[in-house]
Amino acid sequence: MVEEIGTTTEGDLIINVGPQHPATHGVLHLVITLNGETIKKIEPHLGYIHRSIEKMCESLTYRQFIYVTSRMDYLSAHINNHACALCVEKGMQIEVPARAEVIRVLMDELTRIASHELWWGAMAMDLGAFTPFFHAFREREAINEIMEETCGARLTMNYMVPGGVMQDLHPDFQRKVKEFIILFKRKIDEYDELVTGNIIFQNRMKGIGYISPEDAIAYGCSGPVLRGSGVSCDVRKIYPYGIYGQLNFEEVLETAGDSFARYMIRIREMKQSIRIIEQLIDNIPEGDFVAKTKAVLKLPKGEFYTRVETARGEFGVYIVSEGGTTPYRIKFRSPGFSNLSALDHMARGSKLGDLVAMMGTLDLVIPDIDR
Amino acid sequence: MFITNYIKDVFGALKSLAVGLKRTGYYFTHHKEIITEQYPDNRDTLVMADRFKGEVVMPHNENNEHKCTGCTACELACPNATIKVITKFDITPEGKKKKAIDKLVYHLELCTMCNLCVVACPSDAIVMAQTFEHSVYDRSELTKVLNKPDSKIMEGIE
């Protein structure tokens, strides 16, 4: 007798995966209803690291709240900060100097590569391969060192301020980034040799976790998850912010909609990021790195929304201002939350062993989901 | 042709495994491309980046003088109430009362190294030090007074 997927009947096994299992990418708790080894239903349980960041931001000034957002999606901290800075600039109508715009995009793309590197290593480790994890960290270390030199921190940089960036670039920045480009171009081919072409890896990825373009849109997925289903949604292309409109790069699309398509999106996206960095690294304009702003920022009364493309998808900041020095209400639209909601749909009917592969390609960062 | 495809698949699979193993073998014989840092053993040669945000400090010159006027800009800029400025009134040689700091209390355990206080300081009195390894046994050791005992404000700083 074939039982209906999605309902719990007598004899079903309900198991808890997480919150401490390494394959659940942090503090994620999944309640899984199993029939034999087939997944019937997945319920993500959240709240293990809830810090009420949105509420906390209401008591911080516009200069102060930006640093909090790096604690959400800590792997693309820089891009989160960029979104917040853009939102404040939109409200205040601050003109950002050309140099600051270029620095911001350079840092964003370096962060995107670093985030995808870590994802690639962790993803391969979820599937049982240990070597790629070290290889990924080796290249990520080069980016971290560049970040440490210029921004002063490796993970939670807090480099963006309303009107520009906090400090000017380190004198060694250009040389180090050029060295990194040469290193990375050599190493990304190794990734294909090690993992992409591997038969075990392909068998575990192809056809696993399929989501159709319609369903992906309906669940509000964004970033590589939606683009893996063939839907064009790169915020950098459709709603360009900063200087992205003037840059020459491709929006990466795959049509298969399975885990392997999402994998290929991220691998190809890293190459596009390198292309953006190559265009900018020799053309950093001279001038101010931050616009002159008042010591105390006051947004005019109203509502402001900006969005950016982080490594995981669309990140939006919505500020309601009453005209004071602190926001009246802040809401973050984080990509991980919507992507996770599609996990139940993807996983229904597949085997428990494939769940880890699916979760890996969603690239979940739990503080981003559970703010 | 099931059999031909089957054999092709098997050989294709073996080839893909060999390609991956070749890469592993390459690193097995090229030790110099491995960049592991022997962290606790390389303390003598370890150089932190000059902008690394380790802890807030107040530099003093050789006459035990600092640049802090006690304007509380850093206290206002801090998102976590990490810094507390306690002020007092000094009597200048002309007999006037002048505001000065008594203590600048810094809670390292609350600090997120966001650098906002350093940026906010109008007289560059505080900077980020490149120290790390902050772990201690007692939490109270992390509460520090940044100005040294009997220190004075540098001349010419208003």
Side-chain angles (χ1 to χ4, degrees), chain A residues 60-61 63-64 67 71 131 135 138-139 141 145 148-154 156-159 161 166-171 186-187 190 193-194 197-200, chain B residues 9 12-14 16-17 19-24 26-27 33-35 37 47-54 75-80 111-116 119:
Chain A
L60 298 174
T61 66
R63 258 179 223 288
Q64 288 170 349
Y67 96 98
R71 268 79 186 168
T131 317
H135 284 219
R138 181 187 55 195
E139 272 80 73
E141 185 65 25
E145 264 170 30
E148 191 176 5
E149 241 179 22
T150 297
C151 317
R154 297 164 71 85
T156 50
M157 277 75 94
N158 192 39
Y159 188 53
V161 290
M166 198 179 263
Q167 287 159 309
D168 206 356
L169 288 176
H170 194 271
R186 213 171 63 232
K187 300 295 182 189
E190 283 184 16
E193 279 179 26
L194 257 180
N198 189 294
I199 184 74
I200 302 167
Chain B
D9 273 0
L14 286 174
S16 82
L17 293 175
V19 167
L21 277 175
K22 202 183 96 195
R23 191 42 61 194
T24 311
Y26 174 82
Y27 282 107
E33 292 196 32
I34 301 166
I35 47 150
E37 286 219 11
V47 183
M48 299 306 284
D50 30 305
R51 284 185 193 172
F52 177 74
K53 295 181 275 193
E75 192 182 332
L76 292 170
C78 181
N80 308 327
C111 186
T112 54
M113 320 298 170
C114 67
N115 209 25
L116 288 173
V119 173

Coordinates of all heavy atoms in Angstrom, one line a residue, chain A residues 60-61 63-64 67 71 131 135 138-139 141 145 148-154 156-159 161 166-171 186-187 190 193-194 197-200, chain B residues 9 12-14 16-17 19-24 26-27 33-35 37 47-54 75-80 111-116 119:
Chain A
L60 N 19.1 51.2 18.8 CA 20.5 51.7 18.4 C 20.3 52.7 17.4 O 19.3 52.7 16.6 CB 21.2 50.5 17.8 CG 21.5 49.3 18.8 CD1 22.2 48.2 18.0 CD2 22.5 49.8 19.9
T61 N 21.3 53.6 17.3 CA 21.2 54.7 16.3 C 21.6 54.1 14.9 O 22.0 53.0 14.8 CB 22.2 55.9 16.7 OG1 23.5 55.4 16.6 CG2 21.9 56.4 18.0
R63 N 24.0 54.8 13.0 CA 25.4 54.4 12.8 C 25.6 53.1 13.5 O 26.5 52.3 13.1 CB 26.3 55.5 13.4 CG 26.9 56.4 12.4 CD 27.7 57.4 13.1 NE 27.5 58.7 12.5 CZ 28.0 59.0 11.3 NH1 28.7 58.2 10.7 NH2 27.8 60.2 10.8
Q64 N 25.0 52.9 14.6 CA 25.3 51.7 15.5 C 24.7 50.4 14.9 O 25.3 49.4 15.1 CB 24.8 52.0 16.9 CG 25.7 53.0 17.6 CD 25.1 53.4 18.9 OE1 23.9 53.0 19.2 NE2 25.9 54.1 19.7
Y67 N 26.4 47.4 12.6 CA 27.4 46.3 13.0 C 26.6 45.1 13.4 O 27.1 44.0 13.4 CB 28.3 46.8 14.1 CG 27.9 46.5 15.5 CD1 28.4 45.4 16.2 CD2 26.9 47.3 16.1 CE1 28.0 45.1 17.4 CE2 26.5 47.0 17.3 CZ 27.0 45.9 18.0 OH 26.6 45.6 19.3
R71 N 26.3 40.1 12.5 CA 26.2 38.9 13.4 C 25.1 38.0 12.9 O 24.8 36.9 13.5 CB 25.9 39.3 14.8 CG 27.1 39.5 15.7 CD 27.8 40.8 15.4 NE 29.1 40.9 16.1 CZ 29.9 41.8 15.9 NH1 29.7 42.7 14.9 NH2 31.1 41.8 16.5
T131 N 39.0 16.0 2.3 CA 40.0 16.8 1.7 C 39.5 18.2 1.2 O 40.2 19.2 1.5 CB 40.7 16.1 0.5 OG1 40.9 14.7 0.9 CG2 42.0 16.7 0.1
H135 N 41.1 22.2 1.4 CA 41.4 23.0 0.2 C 40.7 24.3 0.2 O 41.2 25.4 -0.1 CB 41.1 22.2 -1.0 CG 42.2 21.1 -1.2 ND1 42.6 20.8 -2.5 CD2 42.8 20.3 -0.4 CE1 43.5 19.8 -2.4 NE2 43.7 19.5 -1.1
R138 N 42.0 26.9 2.6 CA 43.3 27.4 2.2 C 43.1 28.7 1.4 O 43.7 29.7 1.6 CB 44.0 26.4 1.4 CG 45.4 26.8 1.0 CD 45.9 25.7 0.1 NE 45.0 25.4 -1.0 CZ 45.0 24.4 -1.8 NH1 45.9 23.4 -1.6 NH2 44.2 24.2 -2.8
E139 N 42.2 28.7 0.4 CA 41.9 29.8 -0.4 C 41.2 30.9 0.4 O 41.3 32.1 0.2 CB 41.1 29.5 -1.6 CG 42.0 29.0 -2.8 CD 42.4 27.6 -2.6 OE1 41.6 26.7 -2.8 OE2 43.6 27.4 -2.3
E141 N 41.5 31.5 3.5 CA 42.4 32.2 4.3 C 43.1 33.4 3.7 O 43.3 34.4 4.3 CB 43.5 31.1 4.7 CG 44.5 31.6 5.7 CD 43.9 31.9 7.1 OE1 42.8 31.3 7.4 OE2 44.5 32.7 7.8
E145 N 42.9 37.2 5.1 CA 44.0 38.0 5.4 C 43.9 39.4 4.8 O 44.3 40.4 5.4 CB 45.3 37.3 5.0 CG 45.9 36.6 6.2 CD 47.0 35.7 5.8 OE1 47.8 35.9 4.9 OE2 47.2 34.7 6.6
E148 N 41.5 41.2 7.0 CA 42.1 41.6 8.3 C 43.0 42.8 8.1 O 43.0 43.7 9.0 CB 42.9 40.4 8.8 CG 43.4 40.6 10.2 CD 44.1 39.4 10.7 OE1 44.3 38.4 10.0 OE2 44.4 39.3 11.9
E149 N 43.7 42.9 7.0 CA 44.6 44.1 6.8 C 43.8 45.4 6.6 O 44.2 46.4 7.2 CB 45.4 43.8 5.6 CG 46.9 43.8 5.9 CD 47.7 43.5 4.7 OE1 47.2 43.7 3.6 OE2 48.8 43.0 4.9
T150 N 42.7 45.3 5.8 CA 42.0 46.5 5.5 C 40.9 46.9 6.6 O 40.8 48.0 7.0 CB 41.4 46.5 4.1 OG1 42.5 46.3 3.2 CG2 40.6 47.7 3.8
C151 N 40.1 45.9 6.9 CA 39.0 46.1 7.8 C 39.3 45.9 9.3 O 38.6 46.3 10.1 CB 37.8 45.3 7.4 SG 37.5 45.1 5.7
G152 N 40.4 45.1 9.6 CA 40.7 44.9 11.0 C 40.1 43.7 11.6 O 40.3 43.5 12.8
A153 N 39.3 43.0 10.9 CA 38.7 41.8 11.4 C 38.5 40.7 10.3 O 38.6 41.1 9.1 CB 37.4 42.1 12.1
R154 N 38.4 39.5 10.7 CA 38.3 38.4 9.7 C 36.9 38.0 9.3 O 36.7 37.5 8.3 CB 39.1 37.2 10.2 CG 40.5 37.5 10.5 CD 41.1 36.4 11.3 NE 41.3 35.2 10.6 CZ 42.3 34.9 9.8 NH1 43.3 35.8 9.7 NH2 42.4 33.7 9.2
T156 N 33.5 39.5 11.2 CA 32.6 40.5 11.4 C 33.3 41.9 11.3 O 33.8 42.4 12.2 CB 31.9 40.4 12.8 OG1 33.0 40.3 13.7 CG2 31.0 39.2 12.9
M157 N 33.3 42.3 10.0 CA 34.2 43.4 9.7 C 33.8 44.8 10.2 O 34.6 45.5 10.7 CB 34.4 43.5 8.1 CG 35.4 42.6 7.6 SD 34.8 40.9 7.5 CE 34.1 40.8 5.9
N158 N 32.5 45.1 10.0 CA 32.0 46.4 10.3 C 32.8 47.5 9.6 O 33.4 48.4 10.3 CB 31.9 46.7 11.9 CG 31.1 47.9 12.2 OD1 30.1 48.1 11.6 ND2 31.5 48.7 13.1
Y159 N 32.8 47.4 8.3 CA 33.7 48.3 7.5 C 32.8 49.4 6.9 O 33.3 50.5 6.6 CB 34.4 47.5 6.5 CG 35.4 48.2 5.7 CD1 36.4 48.9 6.3 CD2 35.4 48.1 4.3 CE1 37.4 49.6 5.6 CE2 36.4 48.7 3.6 CZ 37.4 49.5 4.2 OH 38.3 50.1 3.5
V161 N 30.1 52.3 6.6 CA 29.4 53.3 7.4 C 28.5 54.1 6.5 O 28.8 54.1 5.3 CB 30.4 54.3 8.2 CG1 31.1 53.6 9.3 CG2 31.3 54.9 7.2
M166 N 34.7 52.8 6.4 CA 35.3 53.4 7.7 C 36.7 53.9 7.5 O 37.1 54.9 8.0 CB 35.2 52.3 8.8 CG 35.4 52.9 10.2 SD 35.2 51.6 11.4 CE 33.5 51.7 11.8
Q167 N 37.6 53.1 6.8 CA 39.0 53.4 6.7 C 39.3 53.3 5.2 O 38.6 52.5 4.5 CB 39.9 52.5 7.5 CG 39.8 52.8 9.0 CD 40.3 51.6 9.8 OE1 39.8 50.5 9.6 NE2 41.2 51.8 10.7
D168 N 40.4 53.9 4.8 CA 40.8 53.7 3.4 C 41.5 52.4 3.2 O 41.8 51.7 4.2 CB 41.8 54.8 3.0 CG 41.8 55.1 1.6 OD1 41.1 54.4 0.8 OD2 42.5 56.1 1.1
L169 N 41.6 52.0 2.0 CA 42.3 50.7 1.7 C 43.7 50.6 2.2 O 44.4 51.6 2.2 CB 42.3 50.4 0.2 CG 40.9 50.1 -0.5 CD1 41.1 50.0 -2.0 CD2 40.3 48.8 0.1
H170 N 44.1 49.4 2.6 CA 45.5 49.2 3.0 C 46.4 49.4 1.8 O 46.0 49.0 0.7 CB 45.6 47.9 3.6 CG 46.9 47.7 4.4 ND1 48.0 47.2 3.8 CD2 47.2 47.9 5.7 CE1 49.0 47.1 4.7 NE2 48.5 47.5 5.9
P171 N 47.6 50.0 1.9 CA 48.5 50.1 0.8 C 48.7 48.8 0.0 O 49.0 48.8 -1.2 CB 49.8 50.7 1.4 CG 49.3 51.3 2.7 CD 48.1 50.6 3.1
R186 N 43.9 29.3 -10.5 CA 44.5 28.0 -10.6 C 43.8 26.9 -9.8 O 43.6 25.8 -10.2 CB 46.0 28.1 -10.2 CG 46.9 27.1 -10.9 CD 48.3 27.4 -10.5 NE 48.6 27.2 -9.1 CZ 49.2 28.1 -8.4 NH1 49.6 29.3 -8.9 NH2 49.5 27.9 -7.1
K187 N 43.3 27.4 -8.6 CA 42.7 26.4 -7.7 C 41.3 26.0 -8.1 O 40.9 24.9 -7.7 CB 42.7 27.0 -6.3 CG 44.0 27.4 -5.7 CD 44.9 26.2 -5.5 CE 46.2 26.6 -4.9 NZ 47.2 25.6 -4.9
E190 N 41.1 22.9 -9.8 CA 41.3 21.8 -8.9 C 40.0 21.3 -8.3 O 39.8 20.1 -8.1 CB 42.3 22.1 -7.8 CG 43.7 22.2 -8.3 CD 44.7 22.4 -7.1 OE1 44.2 22.3 -5.9 OE2 45.8 22.8 -7.3
E193 N 38.3 19.0 -10.6 CA 39.0 17.7 -10.6 C 38.6 16.9 -9.4 O 38.3 15.7 -9.5 CB 40.5 17.9 -10.6 CG 41.1 18.2 -12.0 CD 42.6 18.4 -11.9 OE1 43.2 17.8 -11.0 OE2 43.1 19.1 -12.8
L194 N 38.6 17.6 -8.2 CA 38.5 16.9 -7.0 C 37.0 16.4 -6.8 O 36.8 15.3 -6.4 CB 38.9 17.8 -5.8 CG 40.2 17.5 -5.1 CD1 40.3 18.5 -4.0 CD2 40.3 16.2 -4.5
G197 N 33.7 16.4 -11.0 CA 33.6 15.3 -11.9 C 33.5 14.0 -11.2 O 33.3 12.9 -11.9
N198 N 33.6 14.0 -9.9 CA 33.6 12.7 -9.2 C 32.3 11.9 -9.3 O 31.2 12.5 -9.1 CB 34.0 13.0 -7.7 CG 34.2 11.7 -6.9 OD1 33.4 10.9 -6.7 ND2 35.5 11.6 -6.5
I199 N 32.4 10.7 -9.6 CA 31.2 9.9 -9.8 C 30.3 9.7 -8.6 O 29.1 9.8 -8.7 CB 31.6 8.5 -10.4 CG1 30.4 7.7 -10.8 CG2 32.4 7.7 -9.5 CD1 29.7 8.1 -12.1
I200 N 30.9 9.5 -7.4 CA 30.2 9.4 -6.2 C 29.4 10.7 -5.9 O 28.2 10.6 -5.6 CB 31.1 9.1 -5.0 CG1 31.9 7.8 -5.3 CG2 30.3 8.9 -3.7 CD1 33.1 7.6 -4.3
Chain B
D9 N 30.2 3.3 -18.3 CA 29.9 4.0 -17.0 C 31.0 3.6 -16.0 O 31.5 4.4 -15.2 CB 28.5 3.5 -16.4 CG 27.4 4.4 -17.0 OD1 27.8 5.4 -17.7 OD2 26.3 4.2 -16.6
G12 N 34.3 5.2 -16.9 CA 34.1 6.6 -16.6 C 34.2 6.9 -15.1 O 34.9 7.9 -14.7
A13 N 33.6 6.1 -14.3 CA 33.6 6.3 -12.9 C 35.0 6.1 -12.3 O 35.5 6.9 -11.5 CB 32.6 5.3 -12.2
L14 N 35.7 5.1 -12.8 CA 37.0 4.8 -12.3 C 38.0 6.0 -12.7 O 38.8 6.4 -11.9 CB 37.6 3.5 -12.9 CG 37.0 2.2 -12.2 CD1 37.4 1.0 -13.0 CD2 37.3 2.1 -10.8
S16 N 37.1 9.1 -13.1 CA 36.8 10.3 -12.3 C 37.5 10.2 -10.9 O 37.9 11.1 -10.3 CB 35.3 10.5 -12.2 OG 34.8 9.7 -11.2
L17 N 37.5 8.9 -10.4 CA 38.1 8.7 -9.1 C 39.6 8.9 -9.2 O 40.3 9.5 -8.3 CB 37.8 7.3 -8.6 CG 36.4 7.1 -8.2 CD1 36.2 5.6 -7.8 CD2 35.9 7.9 -7.0
V19 N 41.2 10.8 -11.3 CA 41.5 12.2 -11.4 C 41.6 12.9 -10.1 O 42.5 13.7 -9.8 CB 40.5 12.9 -12.4 CG1 40.6 14.4 -12.3 CG2 40.6 12.5 -13.8
G20 N 40.6 12.6 -9.2 CA 40.6 13.2 -7.9 C 41.8 12.7 -7.1 O 42.4 13.5 -6.4
L21 N 42.1 11.5 -7.2 CA 43.3 10.9 -6.4 C 44.6 11.5 -6.9 O 45.5 11.7 -6.1 CB 43.3 9.4 -6.5 CG 42.4 8.7 -5.5 CD1 42.4 7.2 -5.8 CD2 42.8 8.9 -4.1
K22 N 44.7 11.9 -8.2 CA 45.9 12.5 -8.7 C 46.2 13.8 -8.0 O 47.3 14.1 -7.6 CB 45.7 12.7 -10.2 CG 47.0 12.8 -11.0 CD 46.7 13.1 -12.4 CE 46.8 14.5 -12.7 NZ 46.3 15.0 -14.0
R23 N 45.1 14.6 -7.8 CA 45.2 15.9 -7.1 C 45.7 15.7 -5.7 O 46.5 16.4 -5.2 CB 43.8 16.5 -7.2 CG 43.7 18.0 -6.8 CD 44.8 18.8 -7.3 NE 45.0 18.9 -8.7 CZ 46.0 19.4 -9.3 NH1 47.0 19.9 -8.6 NH2 46.1 19.5 -10.6
T24 N 45.1 14.7 -5.0 CA 45.5 14.4 -3.6 C 47.0 14.0 -3.6 O 47.8 14.4 -2.8 CB 44.7 13.2 -3.0 OG1 43.3 13.6 -3.3 CG2 44.9 13.1 -1.6
Y26 N 49.3 14.9 -5.7 CA 50.1 16.0 -6.0 C 50.5 16.7 -4.7 O 51.6 17.1 -4.5 CB 49.3 17.0 -6.9 CG 50.0 18.3 -7.2 CD1 51.0 18.4 -8.2 CD2 49.7 19.4 -6.5 CE1 51.7 19.6 -8.4 CE2 50.3 20.6 -6.7 CZ 51.3 20.7 -7.7 OH 51.9 21.9 -7.9
Y27 N 49.5 17.0 -3.8 CA 49.7 17.7 -2.6 C 50.5 16.8 -1.6 O 51.2 17.3 -0.7 CB 48.4 18.1 -1.9 CG 47.9 19.4 -2.6 CD1 46.8 19.3 -3.4 CD2 48.6 20.6 -2.5 CE1 46.4 20.5 -4.1 CE2 48.2 21.7 -3.1 CZ 47.1 21.6 -3.9 OH 46.7 22.8 -4.6
E33 N 53.3 23.7 -0.7 CA 52.1 24.4 -1.1 C 51.1 24.3 0.1 O 50.0 24.8 -0.1 CB 51.5 23.8 -2.4 CG 52.4 24.2 -3.5 CD 51.7 24.0 -4.9 OE1 50.5 24.2 -4.9 OE2 52.4 23.6 -5.8
I34 N 51.4 23.6 1.1 CA 50.5 23.5 2.2 C 50.8 24.6 3.2 O 52.0 24.8 3.5 CB 50.6 22.1 2.9 CG1 50.3 21.0 1.9 CG2 49.7 22.0 4.1 CD1 50.7 19.7 2.3
I35 N 49.8 25.4 3.6 CA 50.1 26.6 4.4 C 49.5 26.5 5.8 O 48.6 27.2 6.1 CB 49.6 27.9 3.7 CG1 48.1 27.6 3.2 CG2 50.5 28.3 2.5 CD1 47.3 28.9 3.2
E37 N 49.5 27.0 9.7 CA 50.2 27.9 10.7 C 50.3 27.1 12.0 O 49.3 26.6 12.4 CB 49.5 29.2 10.9 CG 49.6 30.1 9.7 CD 49.7 31.5 10.2 OE1 49.9 31.8 11.4 OE2 49.6 32.4 9.3
V47 N 52.9 38.1 13.4 CA 52.7 39.6 13.3 C 51.2 39.8 12.9 O 50.7 39.3 12.0 CB 53.6 40.2 12.2 CG1 53.4 41.7 12.1 CG2 55.0 39.9 12.4
M48 N 50.5 40.6 13.8 CA 49.2 40.9 13.5 C 49.1 42.1 12.5 O 50.0 42.9 12.6 CB 48.4 41.2 14.8 CG 48.3 40.0 15.7 SD 47.7 38.5 15.1 CE 46.0 38.9 15.0
A49 N 48.1 42.2 11.7 CA 47.9 43.3 10.8 C 47.8 44.6 11.7 O 47.2 44.5 12.8 CB 46.7 43.1 10.0
D50 N 48.3 45.7 11.2 CA 48.3 46.9 12.1 C 46.9 47.5 12.3 O 46.7 48.3 13.2 CB 49.2 48.0 11.5 CG 49.4 48.0 10.0 OD1 49.7 46.9 9.5 OD2 49.1 49.0 9.4
R51 N 45.9 47.1 11.5 CA 44.6 47.6 11.8 C 43.7 46.5 12.6 O 42.5 46.8 12.8 CB 43.8 47.8 10.5 CG 44.3 49.1 9.8 CD 43.5 49.4 8.6 NE 44.1 50.4 7.8 CZ 43.7 50.7 6.6 NH1 42.6 50.1 6.1 NH2 44.3 51.7 5.9
F52 N 44.3 45.4 12.9 CA 43.6 44.4 13.6 C 42.9 44.9 14.9 O 43.6 45.6 15.7 CB 44.5 43.2 14.0 CG 43.8 42.1 14.7 CD1 42.9 41.3 14.1 CD2 44.0 42.0 16.1 CE1 42.2 40.3 14.8 CE2 43.3 41.0 16.8 CZ 42.5 40.1 16.2
K53 N 41.7 44.7 15.1 CA 40.9 45.2 16.2 C 40.9 44.2 17.4 O 40.2 43.3 17.4 CB 39.5 45.6 15.8 CG 39.5 46.7 14.7 CD 38.1 47.0 14.3 CE 37.5 46.1 13.3 NZ 36.3 46.5 12.6
G54 N 41.9 44.5 18.3 CA 42.0 43.5 19.4 C 41.4 44.0 20.7 O 40.7 43.3 21.4
E75 N 31.6 57.2 24.4 CA 30.6 56.5 25.2 C 29.3 56.6 24.4 O 28.5 55.6 24.4 CB 30.4 57.3 26.6 CG 29.6 56.5 27.5 CD 29.4 57.3 28.8 OE1 30.4 58.0 29.2 OE2 28.4 57.1 29.5
L76 N 29.0 57.7 23.8 CA 27.8 57.9 23.0 C 27.8 57.0 21.7 O 26.8 56.5 21.3 CB 27.6 59.3 22.6 CG 27.2 60.3 23.8 CD1 27.3 61.7 23.3 CD2 25.9 60.0 24.4
A77 N 29.0 56.8 21.2 CA 29.1 56.1 19.9 C 29.0 54.6 20.1 O 28.6 53.8 19.2 CB 30.4 56.4 19.2
C78 N 29.3 54.1 21.4 CA 29.3 52.7 21.6 C 28.0 52.0 21.6 O 27.1 52.5 22.4 CB 30.1 52.4 22.9 SG 30.2 50.6 23.2
P79 N 27.7 51.0 20.9 CA 26.4 50.4 20.9 C 26.1 49.5 22.1 O 25.0 49.2 22.4 CB 26.4 49.5 19.6 CG 27.7 49.7 19.0 CD 28.6 50.3 19.9
N80 N 27.1 49.1 22.8 CA 26.9 48.1 23.9 C 27.2 48.6 25.3 O 27.3 47.9 26.2 CB 27.8 46.9 23.7 CG 27.7 46.3 22.4 OD1 26.7 46.3 21.8 ND2 28.8 45.8 21.9
C111 N 32.8 44.3 24.6 CA 33.2 45.0 23.4 C 33.1 44.0 22.2 O 33.5 42.9 22.3 CB 34.7 45.4 23.5 SG 35.2 46.4 22.2
T112 N 32.6 44.6 21.1 CA 32.5 43.8 19.9 C 33.5 44.2 18.8 O 33.4 43.8 17.7 CB 31.1 43.9 19.3 OG1 30.7 45.2 19.1 CG2 30.0 43.2 20.1
M113 N 34.4 45.1 19.2 CA 35.5 45.5 18.3 C 34.9 46.2 17.0 O 35.4 45.9 15.9 CB 36.4 44.4 17.9 CG 36.8 43.5 19.0 SD 37.6 44.2 20.3 CE 37.6 42.9 21.5
C114 N 33.9 47.0 17.2 CA 33.3 47.6 16.0 C 34.0 48.9 15.6 O 33.7 49.4 14.5 CB 31.8 47.9 16.3 SG 31.5 49.2 17.5
N115 N 34.9 49.4 16.4 CA 35.8 50.5 16.0 C 35.0 51.9 15.9 O 35.6 52.9 15.5 CB 36.4 50.2 14.6 CG 37.7 50.9 14.4 OD1 38.4 51.2 15.4 ND2 38.1 51.2 13.2
L116 N 33.7 51.9 16.4 CA 33.0 53.1 16.3 C 33.5 54.2 17.3 O 33.5 55.4 17.0 CB 31.5 52.9 16.5 CG 30.7 52.1 15.4 CD1 29.3 51.8 15.9 CD2 30.7 53.0 14.2
V119 N 36.6 55.9 15.8 CA 36.2 56.8 14.8 C 35.6 58.1 15.3 O 35.8 59.2 14.9 CB 35.3 56.1 13.8 CG1 34.8 57.1 12.7 CG2 36.0 55.0 13.1

